Every structure is written in C-alpha cells, then in structure tokens.
Amino acid sequence: RRPSARVARLPLGAFARCYCVQCRKASGSENALNADVARGSFALLRGADRLREWESSPGQFRVFCGDCGSPLYKRYADDADRIR
C-alpha cells in the first residue's frame, strides 16, 4: 500500500543538479536532480494527511511521507507558487 500518490502536469522548470547535504540525503546519492513545478500543476491524489514537513534551511521546507520517510518535494515559505 502506497501512503501517497502525486501527479505533476507539464511544464517543468529548468533542471538543476544539487550537491547540498540535504539533497544528497534525500536522493541517497552524490547529488539530486531537481526541477521546479508550478504549485497549481501539482496535485496529491491521496495521502495528504500523512505528509510531514521539516524546515531544512530558513524558509525551505522538505515535505516527506510521515509513514516511511520518503522525500516528496521541497516548498518555499516566500514563494507559494512553486515547489521543487
């Protein structure tokens, strides 16, 4: 049973490779490949009640599954229109 499902409609923003500690931990590799998504094009299909957040840097919140810890996205306190 999957705790949450999500969909994002195109277009995606520019991709960026990040080597910061948080991205490396979230991806489980030496880097993470991230892209911005317009908040309005992203929808959780189920499991929103299981999401948790952690403020990894000032104003940046990592959103993850509260059951298994899988990272889902990052949101920005000062930019409600996009997630990464």
Side-chain angles (χ1 to χ4, degrees):
R1 181 179 115 194
R2 292 182 350 194
S4 65
R6 61 198 190 283
V7 296
R9 293 184 300 277
L10 297 177
L12 297 176
F15 284 86
R17 187 171 295 173
C18 184
Y19 294 88
C20 79
V21 171
Q22 291 92 359
C23 282
R24 291 194 327 247
K25 285 182 180 181
S27 70
S29 68
E30 69 180 58
N31 62 44
L33 188 60
N34 301 310
D36 289 342
V37 176
R39 187 70 179 225
S41 72
F42 180 87
L44 285 170
L45 302 178
R46 62 182 178 272
D49 59 323
R50 295 183 175 143
L51 296 184
R52 302 294 177 262
E53 292 185 344
W54 172 61
E55 190 171 8
S56 59
S57 300
Q60 296 182 23
F61 296 86
R62 303 250 173 195
V63 180
F64 58 94
C65 173
D67 291 340
C68 70
S70 293
L72 297 173
Y73 59 89
K74 178 170 66 172
R75 71 173 186 84
Y76 304 89
D78 63 350
D79 188 354
D81 294 334
R82 70 181 173 121
I83 58 176
R84 172 166 278 204

